[in-house]
Amino acid sequence: MNSIFADISLVLGLVIGVAFLARSLKQPLLVSYLVAGILAGPLFFNLINSNLDFFDVFAEFGVVLLLFLVGLSLNINYLKKIGKVAVVTGVGQVVFTSTLGFLIIYALGFSFWSSLFIAISITFSSTIIITKLLSEKRDERSVYGRYTIGLMLVQDIIAIAIMVLLPALQFGDSLAIELGLLIVKTLFFFSILFLVTRFLLPKVLSRAAESGEFLLIFTLAWCFAVAGASEWAGISLEVGAIVAGLTLAASKYQTEISSRVRPLRDFFIALFFIILGSEMRVESIQSIWFPGLLISLFILIGNPLILYFLYRRMRFTRRNSFLAGLTAAQVSEFGFVFLYVSRDTGIIDGNELSIFTLVALITISASSYLITYNYWIYKKIKPVFHIFFKRDKIKAPQEAKEHYDVLVFGYHRLGWKVCDALKEMGVDFAVVDFDPVVIDRLKKRGLPYLFGDASDVEFLDDILSQQVKMVISTLPNAEDQMVLLRHLRKFSKRTVFIGNLSHTRFLSELYTYGADYVMVPHLMGGSWIAEVLKRRKWTRASFKELTKDQKNEIKPLTELLNGKR
């Protein structure tokens, strides 16, 4: 007699073993879940089939919690800051990837609906994997990192819209009628939910938040209640889960709710991916390996190229366009959910999920290395860009001078404060930045600027050939600053160079390359607060004065980022 607890123990033990190997190979855990599922399925140990219904229920929990957190994490305010760039690249990437993907898959002999649904599923990139790898590289605040996260937000919004429309697609010839009924039911459901969310939920949530445990229980109850009501109303369980998250997204408890639900989500979503991996069979492998490989190549090569050209159209540099495109070269966990729900509703019934599983294994494994070593990859293939792609032109206002006493590399992070000081001192300076949105804002402020990339040696030769008195770099990347320093010292040994590092790992290297001083913000911040503690009274009033001064200092930057200046 099979014991469900014994089967779960064996499956989780298998996951742990594979996960250790995956981590040593610098692979995301999602890959280990899929591989463990394949090993636990009929291809190898057959650990799941005897209790498949039980595991399916757990997998459904994983889908609901995953989509709940998608809705909970949807940051519209962040999207407003990124603005036009995120919308154009996000929508453009979805349209081009799905269209080209459909043509490729349809040419392989798949039916119209199978081609369409696989094409939609491969369109979206993995928000979880991308944000995690960017965070590990400390690139989430870089230019390409910020706009990649914006791209993911746009994809999430499109994905939510697709999930809302999905239930209507199972009715075939009566699609128009059912779509109309779905819209009516959705509007009615959302109206009731809006009233509950507007007048009742905040009061109950504030009481629930008095206890961390109670907040978790209430959040789960709310999530499953809204999801269940959505299914009962004829919309779908998955849409209800997303909407439940959206209703809490603007809450002041959003961060705490997310941190408490995420571990639970991770456990159930692991079982979801294990189930998907376990569906791989010998007969399916024989029929899916070629289309799976071809689609994977399209995602790994075609998707970055599509995004590269979209970002170039938005006036991004070659490097940032390439890095942003490379980041999105994998499929998403949403693709699994989309095909899983499509199969359960009877819209598709073939081996689409097995093909997508193979594509996920290939693209997620490969893109993990592509993101981790993206700077190195760009450096190696940069000669190709010089041959096939036009060079970035230096852009400056017509009234700008040909020579400046000071060049400030980077405006978004520390540079704005440096520029304010230089402007107040009456120093001739120019800002060097490769974010076209920042360039537009500099133009509005009337600050001299040069549009270019510190890693582009031709660009550096152009602007450093005329000697300057000082170069100030607020760039976060140590390698870019080493390139900048090397070219600066080629033209001048006397120019003062002030660099910047978020950590001390490359501090000695920058001094070896010829830096005169390197700012390390966390060390400087520690020194500043130490002086505050020595010289000020330890009272709340004393620190309120500091808070007031701080708000006044950052007000110009806030206005600039919001496009008010």
Side-chain angles (χ1 to χ4, degrees), residues 92-112:
Q93 183 266 327
V94 168
V95 170
F96 283 112
T97 301
S98 57
T99 301
L100 294 175
F102 172 81
L103 294 175
I104 292 171
I105 297 164
Y106 193 66
L108 290 173
F110 287 84
S111 68
F112 174 86

Side-chain angles (χ1 to χ4, degrees), residues 165-198:
L165 295 174
L166 185 60
L169 297 179
Q170 60 184 305
F171 295 101
D173 296 335
S174 60
L175 176 61
I177 298 173
E178 293 299 331
L179 185 59
L181 289 174
L182 177 64
I183 292 173
V184 172
K185 288 188 289 186
T186 302
L187 290 175
F188 179 72
F189 176 72
F190 281 2
S191 299
I192 295 176
L193 190 63
F194 171 78
L195 294 175
V196 174
T197 303
R198 179 75 172 80

Side-chain angles (χ1 to χ4, degrees), residues 83-222:
K84 177 182 176 183
V85 174
V87 174
V88 171
T89 53
V91 174
Q93 183 266 327
V94 168
V95 170
F96 283 112
T97 301
S98 57
T99 301
L100 294 175
F102 172 81
L103 294 175
I104 292 171
I105 297 164
Y106 193 66
L108 290 173
F110 287 84
S111 68
F112 174 86
W113 286 109
S114 291
S115 302
L116 178 62
F117 277 72
I118 295 174
I120 293 174
S121 68
I122 65 174
T123 297
F124 303 97
S125 302
S126 176
T127 303
I128 295 175
I129 292 172
I130 289 174
T131 52
K132 184 176 185 302
L133 290 174
L134 287 177
S135 177
E136 289 177 354
K137 287 172 61 66
R138 300 184 181 181
D139 273 2
E140 71 273 19
R141 303 274 308 180
S142 65
V143 173
Y144 89 90
R146 296 199 310 273
Y147 287 100
T148 299
I149 293 172
L151 173 74
M152 296 298 103
L153 287 174
V154 173
Q155 285 191 359
D156 286 343
I157 294 172
I158 296 173
I160 291 172
I162 290 174
M163 291 300 296
V164 170
L165 295 174
L166 185 60
L169 297 179
Q170 60 184 305
F171 295 101
D173 296 335
S174 60
L175 176 61
I177 298 173
E178 293 299 331
L179 185 59
L181 289 174
L182 177 64
I183 292 173
V184 172
K185 288 188 289 186
T186 302
L187 290 175
F188 179 72
F189 176 72
F190 281 2
S191 299
I192 295 176
L193 190 63
F194 171 78
L195 294 175
V196 174
T197 303
R198 179 75 172 80
F199 298 104
L200 182 61
L201 182 61
K203 297 177 182 178
V204 178
L205 192 61
S206 62
R207 293 293 302 272
E210 294 174 1
S211 165
E213 293 180 14
F214 188 27
L215 180 63
L216 173 62
I217 296 299
F218 173 78
T219 300
L220 293 176
W222 175 254

Side-chain angles (χ1 to χ4, degrees), residues 32-49:
S32 64
Y33 299 152
L34 292 173
V35 173
I38 293 172
L39 294 174
L43 269 179
F44 292 93
F45 304 123
N46 201 27
L47 299 175
I48 292 180
N49 278 352

Side-chain angles (χ1 to χ4, degrees), residues 433-488:
D433 207 299
F434 50 29
D435 185 341
V437 176
V438 169
I439 293 296
D440 289 340
R441 289 166 182 164
L442 288 171
K443 190 186 302 182
K444 291 178 182 178
R445 292 196 68 189
L447 293 178
Y449 62 86
L450 298 170
F451 179 70
D453 194 335
S455 70
D456 188 335
V457 294
E458 295 178 38
F459 170 74
L460 293 180
D461 286 344
D462 285 338
I463 66 171
L464 296 177
S465 57
Q466 297 194 23
Q467 295 186 5
V468 296
K469 294 180 180 179
M470 180 179 288
V471 171
I472 302 174
S473 169
T474 68
L475 304 175
N477 188 279
E479 291 184 3
D480 289 347
Q481 296 184 82
M482 291 176 192
V483 173
L484 174 57
L485 260 172
R486 186 165 59 245
H487 281 266
L488 175 65

Side-chain angles (χ1 to χ4, degrees), residues 270-547:
L271 293 177
F272 171 66
F273 287 122
I274 290 168
I275 288 291
L276 295 177
S278 70
E279 295 183 1
M280 196 78 74
R281 289 169 170 77
V282 175
E283 58 271 18
S284 65
I285 290 178
Q286 294 174 349
S287 60
I288 69 171
W289 73 267
F290 180 72
L293 182 61
L294 193 62
I295 296 170
S296 299
L297 289 174
F298 169 65
I299 296 298
L300 291 170
I301 299 174
N303 221 19
L305 284 174
I306 289 170
L307 280 171
Y308 174 84
F309 287 112
L310 286 172
Y311 277 108
R312 288 295 283 167
R313 292 290 297 174
M314 299 302 294
R315 299 186 294 118
F316 280 74
T317 61
R318 290 182 299 190
R319 186 179 75 153
N320 280 321
S321 301
F322 175 80
L323 294 178
L326 206 63
T327 303
Q330 83 286 117
V331 294
S332 168
E333 55 279 350
F334 170 78
F336 281 109
V337 174
F338 175 70
L339 292 177
Y340 181 80
V341 174
S342 301
R343 187 187 64 180
D344 282 359
T345 54
I347 301 174
I348 57 174
D349 57 2
N351 56 4
E352 294 88 356
L353 257 173
S354 296
I355 293 174
F356 189 82
T357 301
L358 180 60
V359 172
L361 281 172
I362 295 172
T363 59
I364 293 174
S365 300
S367 70
S368 300
Y369 296 119
L370 295 179
I371 296 173
T372 302
Y373 301 106
N374 55 2
Y375 290 109
W376 179 86
I377 294 170
Y378 176 75
K379 189 183 298 183
K380 292 297 181 183
I381 69 169
K382 190 187 294 185
V384 177
F385 284 89
H386 291 296
I387 297 172
F388 294 103
F389 301 107
K390 64 181 181 180
R391 181 190 168 200
D392 299 314
K393 295 180 180 179
I394 302 174
K395 296 180 182 178
Q398 293 180 353
E399 67 273 13
K401 301 178 181 180
E402 294 183 359
H403 174 75
Y404 298 94
D405 291 333
V406 179
L407 292 177
V408 180
F409 282 78
Y411 188 79
H412 180 75
R413 295 164 64 86
L414 306 174
W416 69 278
K417 195 68 176 174
V418 174
C419 291
D420 282 352
L422 293 174
K423 186 176 181 180
E424 186 179 331
M425 295 165 63
V427 176
D428 287 331
F429 73 96
V431 180
V432 183
D433 207 299
F434 50 29
D435 185 341
V437 176
V438 169
I439 293 296
D440 289 340
R441 289 166 182 164
L442 288 171
K443 190 186 302 182
K444 291 178 182 178
R445 292 196 68 189
L447 293 178
Y449 62 86
L450 298 170
F451 179 70
D453 194 335
S455 70
D456 188 335
V457 294
E458 295 178 38
F459 170 74
L460 293 180
D461 286 344
D462 285 338
I463 66 171
L464 296 177
S465 57
Q466 297 194 23
Q467 295 186 5
V468 296
K469 294 180 180 179
M470 180 179 288
V471 171
I472 302 174
S473 169
T474 68
L475 304 175
N477 188 279
E479 291 184 3
D480 289 347
Q481 296 184 82
M482 291 176 192
V483 173
L484 174 57
L485 260 172
R486 186 165 59 245
H487 281 266
L488 175 65
R489 294 305 176 216
K490 181 173 69 174
F491 293 106
S492 172
K493 302 293 184 184
R494 305 176 70 178
T495 299
V496 175
F497 181 90
I498 299 175
N500 168 66
L501 285 175
S502 58
H503 49 81
T504 58
R505 180 181 173 188
F506 297 103
L507 188 61
S508 60
E509 282 89 340
L510 279 185
Y511 282 122
T512 301
Y513 272 83
D516 294 286
Y517 184 72
V518 179
M519 299 178 288
V520 184
H522 71 271
L523 295 180
M524 297 169 70
S527 299
W528 179 84
I529 195 64
E531 289 299 315
V532 169
L533 294 174
K534 289 178 184 177
R535 298 183 180 185
R536 283 184 174 264
K537 294 181 180 180
W538 294 7
T539 62
R540 297 193 69 187
S542 177
F543 285 98
K544 281 184 178 180
E545 289 181 20
L546 290 174
T547 302

